[in-house]
Amino acid sequence: MDRAQRATANARSPNPEAGLVTELGRHRHPALLALAGLLSLAVGIGIGRFAYTPILPYMTAGLDLGKSEAGLIASANYLGYLLGALAAAWRAAPGDARFWLLGALAVSGLSTGAMTFTTSLGVFLFLRFVGGAAGALVMVLASSLVMDRLAAAGRDGWAAVMYAGVGSGIAISSLAVPAAATGDGDWQSPWFFCGALCLALSVPVALLLPRPRAPAPATPDTGAGKGGNGLGRLITAYGLVGFGYVITATFVSDMVRADPVLQPAEHFVWLCVGLTAAPSVALWGWAGRRWGNERAFAVGCLIEAVGVALSVLGGGIWSILLATGLLGGTFVGLTAIGLIEARHRAGGDPRRNLALMTAAWGLGQMVGPTLAGVLFDALGGYLVPSLLAAAALAVAAALAASLSWRARTA
C-alpha cells in the first residue's frame, strides 16, 4: 500500500489510533519516535538500572560492602522492576500513558541521584527498589507507546533504534562513572552525575514523543494473535534469560577489579558491554526476521551462555573482553526479540503480554545477584553461580527451540 492509500485508509478508519498515526506521520518522523524510545530506555534501563555495575567497585572500596550486601542492593532494584512490571500487567494506569512514562523517567533520575546522600543500607535498598519499579514502567510504556505507533505506521524496523537505548545508556554510564569519580573510594559523585544525566536526557523525550489527541481504546485480548499456545514457555525462557545474564552483568566490574591480571581492563569491560549491546538489537532483529524469533532467541541464549561461562573460565584480558562482548551482543537483543514475539502473540492489547514478559525477566534477575552474593561468601568466588547462570541460558535455549519446532510443524 503506498502513502496515499494508507492515508485514505486511516481517514476512513473508525479507530482513533489510525487518526493518531496519520497525525504522527505529518508531525513526527519515525526516527524521532524511535529516538524518544532510545532515550527513554537509556535513562530507565541503561543508566538508571545498570550504572550500579561500574559504580559497585567504588562502593566496595568506599563503604567496605560485602558481596551479600552488594547482591542485596542489586536484587532490591530487580524486585522493584518485577513489581513495577506486575503492576503494569495487572491494570492499565488511568490517564495519559505519556504522562506516566515521563513521570517514571523523572523518578528514575531522582532515585539514582539520591543514592549520593546516604550511607544506610536500608535507604540504598529503598532507592534502588523505587528506581527498579520506575525502570519497569519505562520499559513497558516506552515499548507500548513507541512500538504501537511504529507498527501502525508500517515502520517496525525503527524499533531496533529504540532498543539500542539500553546499550547506549550502558556505554554512557561506563564513561560517566570513572569520569565523575575523584578516587577509588568516591562512589557519591558517580551516582549524582548519573542521576543528573538521567534527568537531562529525559527532557528531549517530552519534546519528541507527541501527546495523543485521543486515547486509543484498549482492544480486548481475544487470544487470536500468534497464539496463547507457547506463551507460557516463552515467558519461562525469558525469565531464565533474566537470571542467566544478570550475575555477570552485575558483578563483572567487581570481578575484574579483584583480579590483578584483569585490573587494566576495569574501565573497558562495561564499555565493551554497552558498545556491543547498542547494535545488537538490529542484528538479532534481522536474525528474527530471517530464522523466526523463536530460533533466533534460542541461538542467542546459547551464545550468551558461552559468554557467561567464559567470564569465569577464561584466564586473561582478551578472554574477559570476549565474554563481555558476547554478553552485550546478546542480552539486549534477546530482550527486544522476546518482547516483539510476545507482542505478536497478543490477540488484542499487547501491554499485558509485554508486562508479563518484563515481570518474568524481573523475577529472574532479582534472584541472580542475591544467590551469587551468598554463594560467593560461602565458596569464595563467582564460578558456581556463573555456571548455574550459563545452565539456565541453555534451558532457555531449549524452550525457545521447542517453540520454533512447534511453529514449523504446525
Side-chain angles (χ1 to χ4, degrees):
M1 179 183 292
D2 62 24
R3 185 177 299 178
Q5 290 173 316
R6 190 157 47 240
T8 302
N10 282 341
R12 293 174 179 172
S13 172
N15 184 356
E17 183 70 6
L20 174 61
V21 172
T22 304
E23 185 71 18
L24 294 184
R26 288 199 298 266
H27 296 288
R28 289 293 188 274
H29 190 279
L32 298 180
L33 291 173
L35 179 58
L38 180 149
L39 292 172
S40 297
L41 297 188
V43 168
I45 308 297
I47 302 174
R49 192 197 324 172
F50 287 123
Y52 180 64
T53 298
I55 295 176
L56 177 57
Y58 295 92
M59 295 183 71
T60 300
L63 297 172
D64 195 27
L65 278 180
K67 296 299 185 291
S68 296
E69 292 172 315
L72 193 61
I73 293 171
S75 290
N77 182 257
Y78 301 144
L79 175 61
Y81 191 85
L82 167 64
L83 296 182
L86 287 174
W90 175 58
R91 185 175 183 179
D96 182 4
R98 176 181 175 275
F99 169 81
W100 287 101
L101 173 61
L102 296 177
L105 291 171
V107 170
S108 181
L110 292 172
S111 61
T112 298
M115 291 286 287
T116 306
F117 303 109
T118 184
T119 57
S120 165
L121 178 62
V123 179
F124 284 152
L125 296 176
F126 172 75
L127 289 173
R128 295 306 289 157
F129 173 85
V130 171
L137 290 176
V138 169
M139 174 62 83
V140 173
L141 293 173
S143 295
S144 178
L145 283 170
V146 176
M147 284 178 62
D148 282 358
R149 284 154 177 74
L150 292 175
R155 307 299 290 272
D156 303 69
W158 285 98
V161 174
M162 178 180 72
Y163 285 112
V166 178
S168 300
I170 288 173
I172 290 170
S173 68
S174 74
L175 298 172
V177 168
T182 59
D184 285 346
D186 178 19
W187 54 271
Q188 295 101 325
S189 299
W191 278 119
F192 185 83
F193 189 43
C194 286
L197 274 176
C198 286
L199 294 175
L201 293 174
S202 298
V203 173
V205 177
L207 302 175
L208 293 169
L209 192 64
R211 188 186 305 277
R213 289 184 172 232
T219 305
D221 188 352
T222 63
K226 198 172 178 180
N229 59 41
L231 181 61
R233 270 184 286 177
L234 179 63
I235 291 172
T236 302
Y238 203 67
L240 288 171
V241 175
F243 173 80
Y245 94 93
V246 76
I247 292 172
T248 307
T250 300
F251 293 107
V252 66
S253 294
D254 198 51
M255 292 179 195
V256 170
R257 176 174 282 201
D259 188 335
V261 174
L262 301 179
Q263 278 179 0
E266 179 184 348
H267 296 316
F268 298 102
V269 291
W270 199 236
L271 178 62
C272 184
V273 171
L275 292 179
T276 52
S280 70
V281 180
L283 171 65
W284 289 106
W286 171 85
R289 291 188 297 273
R290 185 173 180 84
W291 304 335
N293 288 329
E294 303 96 331
R295 189 185 301 182
F297 193 90
V299 172
C301 288
L302 291 177
I303 294 174
E304 189 172 309
V306 171
V308 169
L310 189 61
S311 71
V312 290
L313 296 177
I317 289 177
W318 289 110
S319 177
I320 194 68
L321 290 176
L322 176 58
T324 53
L326 293 176
L327 177 72
T330 51
F331 88 94
V332 181
L334 290 174
T335 302
I337 60 175
L339 291 177
I340 289 169
E341 180 61 22
R343 188 178 183 279
H344 288 170
R345 290 172 181 268
D349 184 358
R351 187 180 302 182
R352 182 173 179 274
N353 279 14
L354 294 174
L356 288 174
M357 291 281 283
T358 303
W361 184 280
L363 178 61
Q365 67 182 4
M366 182 186 70
V367 173
T370 299
L371 177 63
V374 170
L375 290 176
F376 182 98
D377 288 344
L379 303 174
Y382 292 109
L383 176 65
V384 171
S386 295
L387 293 181
L388 285 174
L393 288 164
V395 174
L399 288 171
S402 72
L403 289 173
S404 176
W405 178 84
R406 182 171 181 173
R408 293 198 310 271
T409 58

